[in-house]
Amino acid sequence: MPCTLCGLTGNPEFHRDRRRSYQRCQRCHLVYVPAEYWLSAEQEKAEYDLHQNHAQDEGYRRFLSRLTDPLQNKIAANAQGLDFGCGPGPVLAQIMGEAGWPMSVYDIFYYPQEQRLSQTYDFITATEVVEHLHSPATVLPRLWELINEQGYLAIMTKLVQDQAAFARWHYKNDPTHICFFSRETFCYIAGLWRAQLEFIGNDVIFFKKVTGHEGS
């Protein structure tokens, strides 16, 4: 199966377990699950319905703060944002709203307002979202197009380390996780977009949209 991010064909198997196979792209380094192992939309939503994340959960708020705290230090006071893939309870948008940045929300299952994807924003967040994408090659550039100059795409996802660590990795065991990014993958994307790229901690990635001579 071709890479779901860059389209390269002929990629080798990276890992196999009792449930499915994983390939790794030789160009962009994305690790991806072939489509034959993907859940149906109904099965996928049933998995998400099991999530019990809510605004009163202090542990979940701390988890999200790994992204929201550094983001708040970068965006302007009047910045307009979108939480993409917010899930059934848009806690991140609530946290940002409490801090003075009201956000729009979009989720293909829970808040499927397509008009939200035809507006532009100063920042877009995607926390624990990109690993679920069937077509990152389509979705990620679409989000990038919605971001205003000097704006941010802020992503939270766990990163692939190496083959041995991947074999032991609990993150791959979620049946809704079908693509796995590494630092190399995000560097590849930043190169395509001519974006400034920043890694924060182990699982937060910021892309900044800048003019051509400022990019990295």
Side-chain angles (χ1 to χ4, degrees), residues 33-76:
V33 174
E36 64 195 89
Y37 300 105
W38 296 355
L39 301 183
S40 68
E42 293 77 16
Q43 292 170 322
E44 193 174 352
K45 183 177 183 298
E47 290 284 334
Y48 301 147
D49 287 343
L50 298 175
H51 295 181
Q52 298 296 320
N53 300 324
H54 53 82
Q56 290 72 43
D57 185 337
E58 288 301 321
Y60 188 57
R61 292 174 74 100
R62 282 194 302 274
F63 169 74
L64 293 176
S65 73
R66 302 211 300 266
L67 183 146
T68 58
D69 285 357
L71 181 61
Q72 289 171 13
N73 290 330
K74 294 179 180 294
I75 56 178

Side-chain angles (χ1 to χ4, degrees), residues 41-134:
E42 293 77 16
Q43 292 170 322
E44 193 174 352
K45 183 177 183 298
E47 290 284 334
Y48 301 147
D49 287 343
L50 298 175
H51 295 181
Q52 298 296 320
N53 300 324
H54 53 82
Q56 290 72 43
D57 185 337
E58 288 301 321
Y60 188 57
R61 292 174 74 100
R62 282 194 302 274
F63 169 74
L64 293 176
S65 73
R66 302 211 300 266
L67 183 146
T68 58
D69 285 357
L71 181 61
Q72 289 171 13
N73 290 330
K74 294 179 180 294
I75 56 178
N78 60 347
Q80 302 295 308
L82 171 72
D83 187 17
F84 178 81
C86 62
V91 179
L92 185 145
Q94 182 171 334
I95 291 170
M96 292 296 289
E98 291 167 356
W101 288 277
M103 295 180 72
S104 299
V105 297
Y106 174 86
D107 190 281
I108 193 171
F109 292 116
Y110 301 103
Y111 297 90
Q113 294 100 331
E114 283 295 318
Q115 73 273 15
R116 299 279 168 81
L117 301 182
S118 60
Q119 302 165 229
T120 61
Y121 302 92
D122 300 308
F123 65 97
I124 295 177
T125 60
T127 57
E128 295 293 313
V129 171
V130 296
E131 63 274 9
H132 302 280
L133 296 178
H134 290 185

Side-chain angles (χ1 to χ4, degrees), residues 179-216:
C179 54
F180 306 90
F181 296 72
S182 63
R183 282 179 170 255
E184 294 89 346
T185 309
F186 285 122
C187 288
Y188 171 84
I189 295 170
L192 291 180
W193 294 348
R194 299 188 177 186
Q196 285 185 356
L197 175 64
E198 182 179 2
F199 294 98
I200 299 172
N202 295 324
D203 58 357
V204 174
I205 304 93
F206 283 2
F207 291 93
K208 184 180 181 181
K209 183 173 282 192
V210 293
T211 54
H213 69 276
E214 293 179 289
S216 57

Side-chain angles (χ1 to χ4, degrees), residues 129-186:
V129 171
V130 296
E131 63 274 9
H132 302 280
L133 296 178
H134 290 185
S135 180
T138 302
V139 175
L140 294 179
R142 186 179 185 188
L143 294 179
W144 189 242
E145 289 174 3
L146 302 181
I147 296 174
N148 297 322
E149 195 74 13
Q150 302 298 319
Y152 289 88
L153 174 59
I155 292 172
M156 178 184 282
T157 190
K158 298 195 183 306
L159 300 179
V160 176
Q161 301 299 322
D162 55 43
Q163 207 163 8
F166 190 88
R168 304 186 301 269
W169 202 23
H170 70 92
Y171 202 62
K172 75 179 186 310
N173 299 332
D174 185 325
T176 67
H177 291 182
I178 56 174
C179 54
F180 306 90
F181 296 72
S182 63
R183 282 179 170 255
E184 294 89 346
T185 309
F186 285 122

